[in-house]
Amino acid sequence: MDNLEIEEYSSLAGKRRWHLEVANTHWFCQLKSGTPLFVLGPDYWAFAVSYIVAGTVIGLMLTLEFELPLYFLGLGRLSRLVYFVGMVCWLLMGVLNPGLELRVPSEEEICRYFNNKNFCRVCEVLRETGTLHCVDCDICVKGRTKHVIWIGKCLGRNIKVFYYTFLFCAGWLLLYLTILTAAAVITN
């Protein structure tokens, strides 16, 4: 971001906006504090396509009826619940604010912290410890781990709990579908 964009952003603090483009991200439902509630990253198209395709394929696989022993019925119901929780977590990861760093410093702070590692020279913001700049999103994200294309943005502090819950659900469904496939092959 250049100085003009930072000055424009700092003048937006205290005002509500429904949509705003900052760097490579799209902000929706900006709160009075200036932080957006929803953020779509630069790869939002990959998030949308992967969510629809994977959700449809896995959902169809879970609804197929196989002739399975009775003890698989409870496991099937539990797996459908895990599928629902996983899809909700994936959706929340894709649309919620991952933890964008938005502390715009004063001119005095810029001079004081310019050579400090907590100052991002690209975004021109003061960063908390653990905040990293993403080249793809072109913005600093608190607690950034990596840029994840299938959620369309960075994995930041605010959405990590959804990420780990989603990974657990995906692992469970992989195990369940493996058992389901093996049981269908053995019985036929």
Side-chain angles (χ1 to χ4, degrees):
M1 286 194 281
D2 60 10
N3 287 334
L4 179 63
E5 290 177 350
I6 290 204
E7 289 170 7
E8 288 174 0
Y9 173 73
S10 60
S11 68
L12 292 175
K15 299 178 184 176
R16 288 186 181 209
R17 301 272 184 206
W18 290 108
H19 179 257
L20 186 66
E21 282 187 54
V22 175
N24 290 338
T25 60
H26 297 274
W27 298 4
F28 296 93
C29 299
Q30 185 178 358
L31 305 175
K32 282 188 177 181
S33 64
T35 60
L37 183 58
F38 303 113
V39 175
L40 291 179
D43 302 321
Y44 65 89
W45 57 271
F47 160 68
V49 169
S50 61
Y51 185 81
I52 292 168
V53 171
T56 303
V57 169
I58 295 170
L60 287 174
M61 290 176 75
L62 287 175
T63 58
L64 292 177
E65 294 294 329
F66 292 104
E67 293 179 22
L68 296 174
L70 204 51
Y71 56 84
F72 276 107
L73 290 177
L75 194 59
R77 290 184 185 123
L78 179 63
S79 294
R80 286 184 182 98
L81 176 66
V82 168
Y83 165 76
F84 178 74
V85 169
M87 291 303 289
V88 168
C89 286
W90 192 358
L91 180 65
L92 290 174
M93 280 189 300
V95 298
L96 287 179
N97 178 359
L100 303 180
E101 184 65 78
L102 304 171
R103 293 188 301 165
V104 179
S106 65
E107 291 292 328
E108 177 184 309
E109 289 176 316
I110 289 175
C111 293
R112 186 173 351 142
Y113 294 110
F114 190 74
N115 291 322
N116 191 329
K117 67 179 182 175
N118 291 336
F119 181 77
C120 178
R121 293 180 183 182
V122 179
C123 296
E124 296 184 3
V125 295
L126 286 175
R127 302 184 290 197
E128 292 179 9
T129 304
T131 300
L132 297 172
H133 184 82
C134 176
V135 177
D136 295 322
C137 295
D138 196 29
I139 201 160
C140 289
V141 181
K142 296 175 190 171
R144 180 182 178 272
T145 307
K146 57 189 163 199
H147 187 85
V148 184
I149 193 160
W150 50 268
I151 63 171
K153 59 186 167 196
C154 289
L155 178 60
R157 179 175 62 194
N158 294 355
I159 59 174
K160 280 187 181 176
V161 68
F162 301 119
Y163 179 74
Y164 293 123
T165 305
F166 172 78
L167 288 181
F168 171 79
C169 293
W172 174 270
L173 289 174
L174 180 65
L175 179 66
Y176 174 71
L177 291 174
T178 303
I179 292 169
L180 193 67
T181 304
V185 168
I186 291 170
T187 57
N188 290 337

Short mmCIF file of all heavy atoms in Angstrom, two decimals, residues 141-173:
data_model
loop_
_atom_site.label_atom_id
_atom_site.label_comp_id
_atom_site.label_asym_id
_atom_site.label_seq_id
_atom_site.Cartn_x
_atom_site.Cartn_y
_atom_site.Cartn_z
N VAL A 141 -0.98 -10.16 8.22
CA VAL A 141 -1.98 -10.98 8.89
C VAL A 141 -1.43 -11.44 10.24
O VAL A 141 -0.33 -11.98 10.31
CB VAL A 141 -2.36 -12.21 8.02
CG1 VAL A 141 -3.40 -13.06 8.71
CG2 VAL A 141 -2.85 -11.77 6.65
N LYS A 142 -2.21 -11.23 11.30
CA LYS A 142 -1.81 -11.64 12.65
C LYS A 142 -1.78 -13.17 12.74
O LYS A 142 -2.73 -13.83 12.36
CB LYS A 142 -2.80 -11.11 13.69
CG LYS A 142 -2.85 -9.62 13.78
CD LYS A 142 -3.95 -9.18 14.73
CE LYS A 142 -4.17 -7.69 14.64
NZ LYS A 142 -5.35 -7.26 15.39
N GLY A 143 -0.70 -13.70 13.27
CA GLY A 143 -0.58 -15.15 13.45
C GLY A 143 -0.57 -15.92 12.14
O GLY A 143 -0.98 -17.07 12.11
N ARG A 144 -0.08 -15.30 11.07
CA ARG A 144 -0.09 -15.94 9.76
C ARG A 144 0.78 -17.18 9.76
O ARG A 144 1.92 -17.16 10.18
CB ARG A 144 0.41 -14.97 8.70
CG ARG A 144 0.43 -15.56 7.31
CD ARG A 144 1.00 -14.56 6.29
NE ARG A 144 1.04 -15.15 4.97
CZ ARG A 144 2.06 -15.85 4.50
NH1 ARG A 144 3.12 -16.06 5.26
NH2 ARG A 144 2.03 -16.36 3.29
N THR A 145 0.21 -18.28 9.29
CA THR A 145 0.95 -19.53 9.14
C THR A 145 1.36 -19.73 7.70
O THR A 145 2.50 -20.01 7.40
CB THR A 145 0.09 -20.72 9.60
OG1 THR A 145 -0.39 -20.46 10.91
CG2 THR A 145 0.88 -22.00 9.61
N LYS A 146 0.39 -19.60 6.79
CA LYS A 146 0.64 -19.79 5.37
C LYS A 146 -0.53 -19.25 4.57
O LYS A 146 -1.58 -18.96 5.11
CB LYS A 146 0.85 -21.26 5.05
CG LYS A 146 -0.33 -22.13 5.47
CD LYS A 146 0.01 -23.58 5.34
CE LYS A 146 -0.99 -24.40 6.14
NZ LYS A 146 -0.52 -25.72 6.44
N HIS A 147 -0.33 -19.13 3.27
CA HIS A 147 -1.41 -18.76 2.36
C HIS A 147 -2.01 -20.06 1.84
O HIS A 147 -1.31 -20.91 1.29
CB HIS A 147 -0.87 -17.92 1.20
CG HIS A 147 -1.95 -17.38 0.32
ND1 HIS A 147 -2.61 -16.21 0.60
CD2 HIS A 147 -2.50 -17.86 -0.81
CE1 HIS A 147 -3.51 -15.98 -0.34
NE2 HIS A 147 -3.46 -16.97 -1.20
N VAL A 148 -3.30 -20.24 2.04
CA VAL A 148 -3.98 -21.48 1.68
C VAL A 148 -4.92 -21.19 0.52
O VAL A 148 -5.88 -20.43 0.67
CB VAL A 148 -4.77 -22.05 2.88
CG1 VAL A 148 -5.40 -23.38 2.54
CG2 VAL A 148 -3.87 -22.18 4.09
N ILE A 149 -4.66 -21.82 -0.62
CA ILE A 149 -5.44 -21.49 -1.81
C ILE A 149 -6.89 -21.98 -1.70
O ILE A 149 -7.80 -21.33 -2.20
CB ILE A 149 -4.76 -22.01 -3.10
CG1 ILE A 149 -5.43 -21.37 -4.31
CG2 ILE A 149 -4.78 -23.51 -3.17
CD1 ILE A 149 -4.62 -21.39 -5.55
N TRP A 150 -7.14 -23.10 -1.04
CA TRP A 150 -8.51 -23.61 -0.99
C TRP A 150 -9.40 -22.89 0.02
O TRP A 150 -10.59 -23.19 0.09
CB TRP A 150 -8.55 -25.12 -0.81
CG TRP A 150 -7.70 -25.68 0.29
CD1 TRP A 150 -6.43 -26.11 0.19
CD2 TRP A 150 -8.09 -25.85 1.65
NE1 TRP A 150 -5.99 -26.54 1.42
CE2 TRP A 150 -6.99 -26.40 2.32
CE3 TRP A 150 -9.25 -25.61 2.36
CZ2 TRP A 150 -7.02 -26.70 3.66
CZ3 TRP A 150 -9.28 -25.91 3.71
CH2 TRP A 150 -8.16 -26.45 4.34
N ILE A 151 -8.84 -21.95 0.78
CA ILE A 151 -9.70 -21.02 1.52
C ILE A 151 -9.58 -19.62 0.94
O ILE A 151 -10.26 -18.71 1.38
CB ILE A 151 -9.45 -21.03 3.05
CG1 ILE A 151 -8.05 -20.57 3.40
CG2 ILE A 151 -9.77 -22.35 3.64
CD1 ILE A 151 -7.82 -20.36 4.89
N GLY A 152 -8.71 -19.46 -0.05
CA GLY A 152 -8.62 -18.22 -0.80
C GLY A 152 -7.85 -17.10 -0.16
O GLY A 152 -7.84 -15.99 -0.67
N LYS A 153 -7.20 -17.36 0.98
CA LYS A 153 -6.47 -16.30 1.68
C LYS A 153 -5.51 -16.93 2.68
O LYS A 153 -5.30 -18.13 2.67
CB LYS A 153 -7.44 -15.38 2.39
CG LYS A 153 -8.33 -16.07 3.41
CD LYS A 153 -9.35 -15.13 3.96
CE LYS A 153 -10.40 -15.90 4.72
NZ LYS A 153 -11.57 -15.13 4.95
N CYS A 154 -4.97 -16.10 3.55
CA CYS A 154 -4.01 -16.57 4.55
C CYS A 154 -4.72 -17.24 5.73
O CYS A 154 -5.85 -16.89 6.07
CB CYS A 154 -3.19 -15.41 5.09
SG CYS A 154 -2.04 -14.79 3.88
N LEU A 155 -4.00 -18.16 6.32
CA LEU A 155 -4.46 -18.79 7.55
C LEU A 155 -3.93 -17.95 8.70
O LEU A 155 -2.73 -17.95 8.98
CB LEU A 155 -3.95 -20.23 7.64
CG LEU A 155 -4.32 -21.00 8.89
CD1 LEU A 155 -5.83 -21.10 9.01
CD2 LEU A 155 -3.70 -22.37 8.85
N GLY A 156 -4.81 -17.19 9.33
CA GLY A 156 -4.41 -16.29 10.41
C GLY A 156 -4.97 -16.71 11.75
O GLY A 156 -5.70 -17.69 11.87
N ARG A 157 -4.65 -15.93 12.75
CA ARG A 157 -5.01 -16.24 14.14
C ARG A 157 -6.52 -16.41 14.34
O ARG A 157 -6.95 -17.28 15.08
CB ARG A 157 -4.48 -15.12 15.04
CG ARG A 157 -4.81 -15.31 16.50
CD ARG A 157 -4.18 -14.28 17.37
NE ARG A 157 -4.66 -12.94 17.05
CZ ARG A 157 -4.08 -11.84 17.46
NH1 ARG A 157 -3.01 -11.90 18.20
NH2 ARG A 157 -4.58 -10.67 17.14
N ASN A 158 -7.33 -15.59 13.68
CA ASN A 158 -8.77 -15.62 13.93
C ASN A 158 -9.48 -16.85 13.37
O ASN A 158 -10.60 -17.13 13.77
CB ASN A 158 -9.43 -14.37 13.35
CG ASN A 158 -9.00 -13.11 14.07
OD1 ASN A 158 -8.28 -13.16 15.06
ND2 ASN A 158 -9.43 -11.98 13.55
N ILE A 159 -8.86 -17.56 12.44
CA ILE A 159 -9.56 -18.70 11.83
C ILE A 159 -8.85 -20.03 12.04
O ILE A 159 -9.26 -21.04 11.48
CB ILE A 159 -9.81 -18.46 10.31
CG1 ILE A 159 -8.51 -18.25 9.56
CG2 ILE A 159 -10.78 -17.33 10.09
CD1 ILE A 159 -8.67 -18.15 8.05
N LYS A 160 -7.81 -20.06 12.87
CA LYS A 160 -7.07 -21.31 13.08
C LYS A 160 -7.92 -22.39 13.74
O LYS A 160 -7.77 -23.57 13.44
CB LYS A 160 -5.81 -21.07 13.90
CG LYS A 160 -4.68 -20.53 13.07
CD LYS A 160 -3.40 -20.45 13.84
CE LYS A 160 -2.33 -19.86 12.92
NZ LYS A 160 -1.08 -19.66 13.61
N VAL A 161 -8.80 -22.04 14.65
CA VAL A 161 -9.64 -23.05 15.30
C VAL A 161 -10.54 -23.73 14.27
O VAL A 161 -10.75 -24.95 14.34
CB VAL A 161 -10.45 -22.44 16.47
CG1 VAL A 161 -11.51 -21.47 15.98
CG2 VAL A 161 -11.09 -23.53 17.30
N PHE A 162 -11.03 -22.99 13.29
CA PHE A 162 -11.85 -23.59 12.24
C PHE A 162 -11.00 -24.49 11.35
O PHE A 162 -11.46 -25.53 10.87
CB PHE A 162 -12.53 -22.51 11.40
CG PHE A 162 -13.43 -21.62 12.20
CD1 PHE A 162 -13.18 -20.26 12.27
CD2 PHE A 162 -14.51 -22.12 12.88
CE1 PHE A 162 -14.00 -19.43 13.01
CE2 PHE A 162 -15.34 -21.30 13.63
CZ PHE A 162 -15.08 -19.95 13.69
N TYR A 163 -9.75 -24.09 11.12
CA TYR A 163 -8.83 -24.87 10.30
C TYR A 163 -8.55 -26.23 10.95
O TYR A 163 -8.64 -27.27 10.28
CB TYR A 163 -7.52 -24.09 10.11
CG TYR A 163 -6.48 -24.81 9.29
CD1 TYR A 163 -6.61 -24.93 7.92
CD2 TYR A 163 -5.34 -25.34 9.90
CE1 TYR A 163 -5.63 -25.57 7.17
CE2 TYR A 163 -4.37 -25.96 9.16
CZ TYR A 163 -4.52 -26.08 7.79
OH TYR A 163 -3.57 -26.71 7.05
N TYR A 164 -8.22 -26.25 12.23
CA TYR A 164 -7.92 -27.52 12.90
C TYR A 164 -9.16 -28.38 13.04
O TYR A 164 -9.08 -29.61 12.93
CB TYR A 164 -7.24 -27.26 14.25
CG TYR A 164 -5.88 -26.66 14.09
CD1 TYR A 164 -5.55 -25.45 14.67
CD2 TYR A 164 -4.90 -27.28 13.30
CE1 TYR A 164 -4.29 -24.88 14.50
CE2 TYR A 164 -3.64 -26.72 13.13
CZ TYR A 164 -3.36 -25.52 13.73
OH TYR A 164 -2.12 -24.97 13.55
N THR A 165 -10.32 -27.78 13.27
CA THR A 165 -11.56 -28.55 13.31
C THR A 165 -11.85 -29.16 11.94
O THR A 165 -12.25 -30.32 11.84
CB THR A 165 -12.74 -27.65 13.76
OG1 THR A 165 -12.41 -27.05 15.00
CG2 THR A 165 -14.01 -28.45 13.90
N PHE A 166 -11.62 -28.37 10.89
CA PHE A 166 -11.84 -28.89 9.54
C PHE A 166 -10.89 -30.05 9.25
O PHE A 166 -11.30 -31.06 8.65
CB PHE A 166 -11.63 -27.78 8.50
CG PHE A 166 -11.65 -28.28 7.10
CD1 PHE A 166 -12.85 -28.56 6.47
CD2 PHE A 166 -10.47 -28.51 6.40
CE1 PHE A 166 -12.87 -29.05 5.18
CE2 PHE A 166 -10.48 -28.99 5.12
CZ PHE A 166 -11.69 -29.27 4.50
N LEU A 167 -9.62 -29.94 9.63
CA LEU A 167 -8.67 -31.04 9.39
C LEU A 167 -9.09 -32.30 10.13
O LEU A 167 -8.98 -33.41 9.58
CB LEU A 167 -7.26 -30.62 9.81
CG LEU A 167 -6.57 -29.61 8.92
CD1 LEU A 167 -5.16 -29.33 9.44
CD2 LEU A 167 -6.51 -30.06 7.48
N PHE A 168 -9.59 -32.17 11.35
CA PHE A 168 -10.09 -33.33 12.08
C PHE A 168 -11.26 -33.95 11.34
O PHE A 168 -11.32 -35.18 11.17
CB PHE A 168 -10.50 -32.94 13.51
CG PHE A 168 -11.23 -34.05 14.21
CD1 PHE A 168 -10.52 -35.11 14.76
CD2 PHE A 168 -12.61 -34.04 14.31
CE1 PHE A 168 -11.19 -36.15 15.40
CE2 PHE A 168 -13.29 -35.07 14.95
CZ PHE A 168 -12.58 -36.12 15.50
N CYS A 169 -12.20 -33.13 10.89
CA CYS A 169 -13.38 -33.64 10.17
C CYS A 169 -12.98 -34.31 8.87
O CYS A 169 -13.52 -35.36 8.51
CB CYS A 169 -14.36 -32.50 9.90
SG CYS A 169 -15.12 -31.82 11.38
N ALA A 170 -12.02 -33.72 8.15
CA ALA A 170 -11.57 -34.31 6.88
C ALA A 170 -10.90 -35.66 7.13
O ALA A 170 -11.12 -36.62 6.38
CB ALA A 170 -10.61 -33.36 6.18
N GLY A 171 -10.11 -35.76 8.19
CA GLY A 171 -9.48 -37.03 8.53
C GLY A 171 -10.50 -38.09 8.90
O GLY A 171 -10.40 -39.25 8.49
N TRP A 172 -11.50 -37.69 9.68
CA TRP A 172 -12.57 -38.62 10.07
C TRP A 172 -13.31 -39.12 8.82
O TRP A 172 -13.57 -40.32 8.68
CB TRP A 172 -13.55 -37.92 11.01
CG TRP A 172 -14.74 -38.77 11.32
CD1 TRP A 172 -15.92 -38.81 10.64
CD2 TRP A 172 -14.86 -39.72 12.37
NE1 TRP A 172 -16.76 -39.72 11.21
CE2 TRP A 172 -16.13 -40.30 12.27
CE3 TRP A 172 -14.02 -40.14 13.38
CZ2 TRP A 172 -16.59 -41.29 13.15
CZ3 TRP A 172 -14.46 -41.11 14.25
CH2 TRP A 172 -15.74 -41.67 14.13
N LEU A 173 -13.66 -38.21 7.93
CA LEU A 173 -14.40 -38.61 6.73
C LEU A 173 -13.57 -39.49 5.81
O LEU A 173 -14.09 -40.41 5.20
CB LEU A 173 -14.90 -37.37 5.99
CG LEU A 173 -16.02 -36.62 6.69
CD1 LEU A 173 -16.34 -35.32 5.96
CD2 LEU A 173 -17.27 -37.48 6.81
#
